[in-house]
Amino acid sequence: MQLFIQPWRKRYQGSSKELIPIVYQCSTEHCLSTLDMPSDGTFGFRVLVAGQPIPEYSKDGKVYVESDLCTPVSYYQEVEEFANGERELQRTPVTPYKLLIHLGPLCETSAIFVYVDGVQVARFVIEKNQTRVLKGFEEKTGIREFLFALPKLESDGIADKTRSHVGTIEVLRHEGSFIKEEYRPVSEVPFIQASKASAQHVTGGRYTMSTTKKGRLIHRSKPYTAQLKTLWKIGRECGRLSVHYRMPHCLREMDIELKTVDWSKVLNSAKEVDSNAPKSPVKGCASQ
């Protein structure tokens, strides 16, 4: 029997306490947008940028999305890396994204496992006809956003079996049944950004590809002292879906005709544009 733990954070504010879920319920608009998502007929998921599901493309039996680094919500990050025997300051564009996961009305309660670049980044239990949005990596002080980014220069130490999943987002669904709830220490998701060498392992050196890295800390709230975790008995695997994310030029080289993304909804919506975003947006390029 495999046990699965559904985490909830416990936050203390004076004499009161509040339970905060690791994943978040999405809006009705997002739920309606799941109709075209990668799906096996029982569950599906979408990649969201700036709150919008980005277009998906089918090619040779696989589903692809565009990891565009030039969107209205993209920004520059400055990171020091050791390359060519020297410490270098890299200033590269990144794009925050989220993952929307939907369980169909005919499904029973299910345990969901989410993998990014071959690493499990989330697991939770979802009820039938529910939709959840994952906003990033879980940390003790909050949630750190998912970012599309260029691969890092330094070695990552990623095993070959994991390297083959770089540039892939995968969602697995298992049967699940409730056991009990209990408090356990807060844990973090161990995630190492893939390097240029790992990306070349996937592409064979034919093109530059994007990877995922940790971004800004969002939903910051401390101190988190414990997690209320729900234990589930996990049954057989019921489904597995995957999306491969690639940069625009990579998709064009695959003879995929890219769709134009209408960012006007984002630019006109104060809710979707983060007022706390870095004041260094990526300029001089447009989404294709």
Side-chain angles (χ1 to χ4, degrees):
M1 177 180 71
Q2 181 184 4
L3 292 181
F4 170 76
I5 301 174
Q6 165 78 3
W8 295 72
R9 270 192 279 273
K10 189 176 184 181
R11 179 175 68 192
Y12 289 90
Q13 295 180 324
S15 60
S16 64
K17 57 186 177 181
E18 177 184 0
L19 294 178
I20 307 171
I22 300 304
V23 293
Y24 302 83
Q25 191 71 31
C26 78
S27 67
T28 302
E29 179 181 356
H30 283 154
C31 294
L32 293 177
S33 71
T34 62
L35 294 176
D36 297 325
M37 66 170 63
S39 173
D40 67 353
T42 59
F43 80 112
F45 76 97
R46 295 297 300 266
V47 179
L48 309 178
V49 173
Q52 295 191 72
I54 57 178
E56 294 151 357
Y57 309 94
S58 297
K59 181 73 174 182
D60 299 328
K62 297 181 179 180
V63 177
Y64 293 88
V65 294
E66 180 184 358
S67 51
D68 190 356
L69 302 182
C70 295
T71 74
V73 294
S74 301
Y75 61 91
Y76 285 105
Q77 265 194 345
E78 291 188 352
V79 180
E80 284 192 0
E81 291 194 86
F82 191 79
N84 301 320
E86 298 182 354
R87 182 66 62 178
E88 298 182 3
L89 180 63
Q90 303 290 329
R91 186 171 184 266
T92 59
V94 295
T95 299
Y97 71 90
K98 301 173 186 177
L99 299 175
L100 179 151
I101 298 162
H102 179 75
L103 188 64
L106 301 181
C107 295
E108 296 302 324
T109 302
S110 300
I112 300 294
F113 297 81
V114 182
Y115 294 82
V116 176
D117 291 358
V119 179
Q120 182 180 294
V121 299
R123 57 182 186 176
F124 56 91
V125 174
I126 188 171
E127 303 291 340
K128 62 182 178 180
N129 209 30
Q130 277 192 341
T131 305
R132 303 274 186 166
V133 174
L134 294 179
K135 299 187 177 183
F137 300 92
E138 176 191 355
E139 294 194 348
K140 293 181 180 179
T141 53
I143 303 295
R144 197 168 290 277
E145 63 188 352
F146 296 125
L147 289 181
F148 288 135
L150 295 173
K152 67 178 186 177
L153 301 179
E154 297 176 335
S155 174
D156 54 26
I158 296 177
D160 286 346
K161 65 177 181 179
T162 303
R163 278 183 169 185
S164 61
H165 295 281
V166 171
T168 302
I169 301 169
E170 192 169 32
V171 178
L172 280 64
R173 183 174 77 88
H174 284 254
E175 294 177 341
S177 57
F178 174 80
I179 299 178
K180 65 178 180 177
E181 291 184 334
E182 65 182 29
Y183 285 99
R184 291 196 177 186
V186 176
S187 59
E188 296 187 355
V189 175
F191 186 87
I192 300 175
Q193 183 192 7
S195 67
K196 186 176 180 179
S198 291
Q200 289 177 340
H201 178 83
V202 175
T203 67
R206 297 188 305 275
Y207 54 84
T208 302
M209 71 176 292
S210 55
T211 62
T212 290
K213 67 183 299 187
K214 292 185 178 183
R216 297 166 292 164
L217 191 64
I218 55 178
H219 302 291
R220 184 195 303 267
S221 182
K222 59 182 182 180
Y224 291 128
T225 59
Q227 288 179 329
L228 176 62
K229 299 185 177 181
T230 303
L231 276 63
W232 295 79
K233 178 181 177 181
I234 302 305
R236 64 183 181 88
E237 181 181 317
C238 302
R240 181 185 296 249
L241 301 172
S242 62
V243 164
H244 306 274
Y245 61 90
R246 296 291 187 270
M247 296 176 68
H249 69 276
C250 303
L251 298 178
R252 293 192 186 96
E253 290 177 5
M254 297 168 60
D255 294 326
I256 292 177
E257 184 177 350
L258 300 183
K259 301 175 183 177
T260 300
V261 178
D262 181 10
W263 297 110
S264 60
K265 295 180 181 178
V266 180
L267 297 176
N268 295 329
S269 173
K271 293 182 180 180
E272 296 296 354
V273 178
D274 186 355
S275 60
N276 297 318
K279 306 305 180 182
S280 55
V282 178
K283 298 180 179 180
C285 56
S287 177
Q288 301 295 321

